[in-house]
Amino acid sequence: MASVLSYESLVHAVAGAVGSVTAMTVFFPLDTARLRLQVDEKRKSKTTHMVLLEIIKEEGLLAPYRGWFPVISSLCCSNFVYFYTFNSLKALWVKGQRSTTGKDLVVGFVAGVVNVLLTTPLWVVNTRLKLQGAKFRNEDIVPTNYKGIIDAFHQIIRDEGISALWNGTFPSLLLVFNPAVQFMFYEGLKRQLLKKRMKLSSLDVFIIGAVAKAIATTLTYPLQTVQSILRTFWNNGTLQRP
């Protein structure tokens, strides 16, 4: 229990949450373009910069940052839960022993499952808020009219039932392999570098993290597309496919 409630786990959780919020804020327009490409298959522009130019031209200069607050709130909560669970489980299992790639993968997977089950409702809401007001090429998509996070929760539960808040849970559960694979490669690369030097620099950590994330994202990207579509479209919801 001491390992679960440790100061070290809390520090890792806060650092993970703050780091993810900072990174998402910087690259938020790219995430906006990604989401548009995933859910609006009739959009002719297929490159990131062209999609961003279209969004700015048609919807305004700040349109790429639409939905920033709900996304950042969800991301902060999600990463806090993930990093806290990951480091607590790792401390309980390893207990001073040397960790292995297999253990890192298992702990990452379990932490991901806990995170998905607790935070999926936040991601369903923020995905819809982020797309609200967007000019879709697909005319069959009916726009939503949410006034904010609380109102979005209220309307979804009222119109679609509480289970709609967990739309996309199955692909999300499969996607726990993303951070699990990321941490497996990250921890593995870090251990290899620490064999050659006493301490890692900030640049070393940055490069290792970027490489690990790139590998994990490439492997799981098709599931991310399915996840985005399921969170946005629901047969009894306000955004629908024909």
Side-chain angles (χ1 to χ4, degrees):
M1 179 60 83
S3 299
V4 175
L5 301 177
S6 69
Y7 176 73
E8 184 179 357
S9 294
L10 180 62
V11 169
H12 280 293
V14 172
V18 172
S20 62
V21 166
T22 303
M24 177 57 81
T25 299
V26 173
F27 295 105
F28 195 83
L30 298 180
D31 191 63
T32 297
R34 172 194 63 83
L35 187 59
R36 297 290 182 91
L37 286 169
Q38 286 178 331
V39 303
D40 190 7
E41 75 279 3
K42 292 188 177 181
R43 184 177 291 275
K44 292 182 180 180
S45 297
K46 297 297 182 182
T47 60
T48 302
H49 73 281
M50 287 303 298
V51 171
L52 285 174
L53 287 175
E54 280 186 357
I55 293 172
I56 293 172
K57 182 179 179 180
E58 297 175 1
E59 303 171 33
L61 186 62
L62 296 179
Y65 276 92
R66 181 185 291 117
W68 174 84
F69 181 73
V71 170
I72 291 301
S73 301
S74 301
L75 188 65
C76 185
C77 294
S78 179
N79 278 277
F80 183 91
V81 170
Y82 182 84
F83 280 98
Y84 194 96
T85 305
F86 179 87
N87 286 283
S88 296
L89 290 175
K90 188 174 180 180
L92 283 172
W93 193 2
V94 177
K95 293 182 180 178
Q97 300 175 7
R98 188 172 181 176
S99 184
T100 64
T101 301
K103 287 182 179 180
D104 291 334
L105 182 62
V106 172
V107 171
F109 181 82
V110 175
V113 170
V114 172
N115 177 40
V116 165
L117 295 178
L118 291 178
T119 64
T120 291
L122 288 172
W123 287 111
V124 169
V125 167
N126 86 54
T127 299
R128 298 198 185 186
L129 285 171
K130 191 172 181 178
L131 292 172
Q132 184 165 274
K135 293 185 178 180
F136 292 105
R137 298 297 185 273
N138 188 345
E139 297 179 355
D140 297 303
I141 300 175
V142 181
T144 57
N145 186 27
Y146 302 131
K147 298 177 182 177
I149 296 176
I150 302 301
D151 183 57
F153 271 108
H154 174 72
Q155 287 195 42
I156 291 171
I157 294 173
R158 181 194 64 196
D159 299 333
E160 305 170 46
I162 195 169
S163 63
L165 292 174
W166 276 268
N167 286 352
T169 297
F170 181 69
S172 296
L173 287 172
L174 294 178
L175 275 170
V176 301
F177 282 108
N178 182 299
V181 170
Q182 177 186 346
F183 269 86
M184 180 185 73
F185 277 100
Y186 175 82
E187 295 289 344
L189 291 170
K190 185 173 74 173
R191 281 192 290 269
Q192 291 301 315
L193 283 180
L194 286 173
K195 290 179 180 179
K196 302 176 182 179
R197 61 189 75 176
M198 293 295 294
K199 187 178 180 181
L200 298 181
S201 66
S202 298
L203 181 60
D204 291 331
V205 174
F206 175 81
I207 293 174
I208 292 172
V211 171
K213 183 63 177 177
I215 294 171
T217 300
T218 300
L219 292 174
T220 60
Y221 190 79
L223 286 172
Q224 292 182 37
T225 300
V226 174
Q227 179 193 59
S228 295
I229 291 172
L230 287 176
R231 283 174 174 172
T232 307
F233 305 106
W234 188 244
N235 57 3
N236 292 319
T238 48
L239 285 175
Q240 301 178 29
R241 283 190 181 279

